[in-house]
Every structure is written in C-alpha cells, then in structure tokens.
Amino acid sequence: MVFDVGVAMTWILFLALFPMAFVWLRRAWRIVMKRDFSEVALKQGTPPDDPARWAPYEMGINLVAGLIVAYLIVAVLMGTLEYETWSAIGGITIWCKFFASFGLSRQAHLHVGRKPGATTGTKPQD
C-alpha cells in the first residue's frame, strides 16, 4: 500500500466515524434518558420556544445516524464491507444527518405570520 492522498482521506473518514458515533448516540441518550433538551434544534446557539416538541425528531435523527455509523465501524473492523460500500454509506449518513438536523432546526424556529418583536396581531392606533 502506497501512502497517498486517497489513503489519507480513507483513514481520516474512518477515524472520524468514532467521535461522530459517540456524539450522536450520546445526544440521543441525553434526550431519551435524561430528558435534556439543551441541544435540540439549535439555531445560532438558541433552542426553539418548545424544545420538548422537537426532541423526538432530533433523537430519531441522532439515533439512526449513530447506529448506522456504529455498524460501519464494526463492519469495517471485521472486514465485511468493501471500501466503496462503507465510504459511500458513511458519507451519505453524515450528509443526511447534517441536512436533517439543519432542516429540523429551521422548522422548529419557524414563526409563520409572526413578526419579530410583535406580541399581538393588532395594528397600532393612529
């Protein structure tokens, strides 16, 4: 095996799977077992108005992505998956998790028909 850019990228992807699986499974654990909604649907570091409403979706996203990545780690170490297969599954999982979490955070912070700072739906009197 010749060490080149492709080999380096393969190792970086494989080694990055470990902390990703840990963080995603830990987030799912915190939401389910500890009822900690501090990292649910964050937008610019702030949670939505009702994070408990969005917690099951965030937990599902993190749990599915974490389990897929954990499976990939085990499958790669056992040698049951070819490089093209596990790298494709890993890449798709990472991107889908990021897009799903981003979409959830935007949906959770969506205030349809409400203007920033408005408390009532009436117009001010002249």
Side-chain angles (χ1 to χ4, degrees), residues 13-53:
L13 174 61
F14 178 67
L15 294 176
L17 294 177
F18 288 90
M20 283 189 283
F22 174 75
V23 169
W24 294 342
L25 291 173
R26 184 185 63 177
R27 281 185 181 174
W29 174 263
R30 284 182 176 175
I31 292 169
V32 171
M33 301 307 284
K34 295 187 176 186
R35 309 288 297 165
D36 178 12
F37 305 141
S38 62
E39 295 181 357
V40 172
L42 296 179
K43 181 179 178 185
Q44 296 178 350
T46 59
D49 294 337
D50 185 17
R53 175 181 174 197

Side-chain angles (χ1 to χ4, degrees), residues 41 48-49 54 103-111:
D49 294 337
W54 304 100
L104 180 68
S105 69
R106 294 315 180 255
Q107 182 68 28
H109 288 274
L110 185 64
H111 301 292

Side-chain angles (χ1 to χ4, degrees), residues 66-77:
L67 289 175
I68 291 171
V69 171
Y71 163 75
L72 284 178
I73 292 169
V74 171
V76 168
L77 292 176

